[in-house]
Amino acid sequence: MEQQPTRAPDGGVDTAVETIYRIESPRIIAGVARIVRDVGIAEELAQDALVAALEQWPRDGVPDNPGAWLTATAKHRAIDLVRRRERYARKLEEVGRDLSQSAPHHLDEPSDPDDIDDDLLRLVFTACHPVLSAEARIALTLRLLGGLTTSEIARAFLVPEATVAQRIVRAKRTLATKGVAFEVPYGPEREARLGSVLEVIYLVFNEGYAATAGDDLLRPALCEDALRLARVLAELMPKESEVHALAALLELQESRAAARTGPGGEPVLLKDQRRRRWNRMLIRRGFAALGRSNAVATGSPGPYALQAAIAACHAQAYTYEGTDWPRIATLYGLLAARSPSPVIELNRAVAVSMAEGPEPALVIVDGLAGEPALRDYHLLPSVRGDLLARLGRPREARAEFERAASLARNGRERELLEARARELRSS
């Protein structure tokens, strides 16, 4: 006997539709984009399917497979659109033949080991195309793959909603006018494009892990979205070492989330964190992902593999003092050689201070004083202040913490730095 559609409680259908859409929208948009070859149009058709669900489901009930219903509705509308365009007549025949042989969520098997044929993976590479600015890539990725609304993205990055809307519209227009193909690139181009994809996921996570501005140190939703994208990408590209390495890094970093803030949301420094609050399941997942990264690696470790190895050193340590600081300093040295950056050098200085003492670390920090990229970076005077305090130079340390506080845009970090400065006034 045929099963009847499930009826949600009165008033709950709209919420159910929106929840299902947020979960399913990346695959719906990806599947439709394969037909229309335009992510902007694909998103509009996916939203048309959402509107249809909001109209029909309260009347007819929620289907047993709501994701498949939304996908089929959006694809049918895509085919109708293609039919109305005479220049796509030949393509329509090909697409119709493909659809008739495929279930809504079918993923075509690659004909060649190097041929990754997955709609969702194509969408990831398209949304993160280097032709777009970093800000546009992040906004478009969160919109298409994270399922976030324009207002949610605006709140997350503390920018006006209109700014985010413009970035998304311009990004879609740029992809269309530049003729960016809806495909996964091959060979050297894939490697270059993959770097852009990983960078976007990394930047989204970092903004959630340590918010640039605002009153909250953490934005957990951004971390969750980035971690989910990293996990999906690792499943779709199992032979890419750096993909697994990024997943490992995010798992290990996220494992410390519960211990990074106090009861009132105030920051808790790594040395003061209660390590029993670290999430052991995420740590296990992180080590497993790092193992997969090492297993498929073919050359020297990439930047995410090195960062994941650093995070693994912290995860293995029972205490802050018992951390393998010499190894972390060495790994930061390798990372600095692989991806030169003044921020990496600043992090290396912290590790050197723990491995060898504050004096050699201060030499490194002072060497960064003229770096334009660190001119307004509050962590430079913050690290210098900590080193000076450990060297018994409280007056100079206090001045550095006060300067760091004046540069900090995040309210919680500013409060912490001001407190460090106050502690040194009586010294």
Side-chain angles (χ1 to χ4, degrees):
M1 184 168 128
E2 186 179 350
Q3 241 182 338
Q4 295 299 313
T6 303
R7 288 188 177 275
D10 291 343
V13 175
D14 287 1
T15 301
V17 174
E18 291 169 5
T19 301
I20 292 164
Y21 181 79
R22 182 178 287 243
I23 295 170
E24 298 289 344
S25 61
R27 289 195 179 276
I28 297 171
I29 294 169
V32 173
R34 178 158 58 91
I35 299 171
V36 298
R37 300 286 166 174
D38 186 308
V39 294
I41 294 174
E43 187 187 15
E44 290 174 7
L45 292 171
Q47 290 175 346
D48 285 347
L50 172 63
V51 172
L54 289 169
E55 292 173 350
Q56 295 182 39
W57 292 5
R59 182 186 68 236
D60 303 333
V62 178
D64 291 327
N65 192 337
W69 189 99
L70 288 167
T71 300
T73 300
K75 285 188 174 181
H76 289 153
R77 292 180 184 230
I79 293 172
D80 289 340
L81 177 64
V82 172
R83 277 201 183 100
R84 290 196 299 269
R85 298 178 176 179
E86 291 184 359
R87 65 179 180 271
Y88 287 130
R90 188 174 298 173
K91 183 61 181 176
L92 174 63
E93 182 181 353
E94 177 186 338
V95 170
R97 184 167 56 251
D98 178 59
L99 287 176
S100 66
Q101 299 170 357
S102 304
H105 284 279
H106 175 73
L107 300 179
D108 299 328
E109 290 296 328
S111 56
D112 183 88
D114 194 45
D115 180 20
I116 302 175
D117 188 14
D118 184 277
D119 292 338
L120 187 58
L121 189 58
R122 290 170 177 162
L123 184 61
V124 172
F125 274 87
T126 303
C128 298
H129 196 285
V131 74
L132 304 175
S133 68
E135 294 82 4
R137 280 180 246 156
I138 290 171
L140 191 61
T141 300
L142 288 176
R143 176 65 172 267
L144 299 181
L145 293 152
L148 273 67
T149 64
T150 303
S151 60
E152 287 172 332
I153 299 170
R155 283 200 303 272
F157 287 93
L158 300 179
V159 295
E161 188 172 340
T163 300
V164 172
Q166 288 174 359
R167 286 176 184 170
I168 292 173
V169 169
R170 288 171 182 166
K172 294 175 186 175
R173 186 184 302 131
T174 299
L175 293 175
T177 57
K178 295 285 186 181
V180 173
F182 184 69
E183 64 182 11
V184 178
Y186 298 92
E189 187 183 352
R190 177 188 294 176
E191 185 176 347
R193 291 268 294 277
L194 180 59
S196 175
V197 172
L198 298 181
E199 179 189 26
V200 167
I201 297 174
Y202 180 73
L203 290 174
V204 170
F205 182 87
N206 278 353
E207 183 59 29
Y209 190 75
T212 304
D215 297 325
D216 297 317
L217 179 69
L218 311 179
R219 294 202 173 92
L222 285 180
C223 290
E224 291 168 8
D225 282 321
L227 188 51
R228 181 176 64 82
L229 291 175
R231 289 169 178 168
V232 168
L233 197 62
E235 290 179 5
L236 296 174
M237 304 186 74
K239 295 181 181 179
E240 293 288 348
S241 176
E242 278 289 83
V243 172
H244 292 297
L246 177 63
L249 173 61
L250 303 195
E251 300 276 11
L252 293 170
Q253 294 290 77
E254 181 64 10
S255 72
R256 304 202 295 262
R260 293 186 60 233
T261 55
E266 67 278 7
V268 178
L269 299 175
L270 179 62
K271 65 184 180 65
D272 299 322
Q273 288 175 17
R274 297 169 60 188
R275 298 191 172 216
R276 62 176 172 270
R277 297 192 67 196
W278 290 6
N279 188 315
R280 308 312 301 181
M281 182 192 73
L282 291 179
I283 290 175
R284 286 193 295 273
R285 289 182 64 101
F287 277 106
L290 187 56
R292 288 190 289 272
S293 173
N294 293 334
V296 298
T298 56
S300 57
Y304 297 112
L306 291 168
Q307 290 181 75
I310 292 168
C313 288
H314 290 297
Q316 287 174 315
Y318 290 105
T319 64
Y320 182 75
E321 292 74 18
T323 305
D324 191 349
W325 290 108
R327 173 164 171 73
I328 291 178
T330 298
L331 289 168
Y332 268 122
L334 294 173
L335 182 60
R338 179 72 168 73
S339 303
S341 160
V343 173
I344 291 172
E345 273 297 288
L346 184 61
N347 287 329
R348 186 173 76 87
V350 174
V352 167
S353 77
M354 296 301 299
E356 304 175 24
E359 287 187 11
L362 186 60
V363 173
I364 298 172
V365 172
D366 285 345
L368 297 171
E371 286 286 346
L374 300 182
R375 184 179 58 185
D376 298 321
Y377 190 50
H378 68 287
L379 292 183
L380 177 61
S382 173
V383 170
R384 192 168 192 275
D386 184 69
L387 296 176
L388 290 169
R390 289 168 59 187
L391 287 168
R393 297 158 62 178
R395 187 171 299 176
E396 296 170 82
R398 185 180 71 224
E400 292 294 332
F401 283 124
E402 288 172 347
R403 179 169 177 268
S406 70
L407 294 173
R409 294 171 56 198
N410 183 280
R412 293 295 188 178
E413 286 188 303
R414 185 166 52 251
E415 290 170 3
L416 175 65
L417 293 165
E418 289 170 346
R420 295 290 304 276
R422 285 194 299 273
E423 290 171 3
L424 291 165
R425 283 178 188 162
S426 58
S427 302

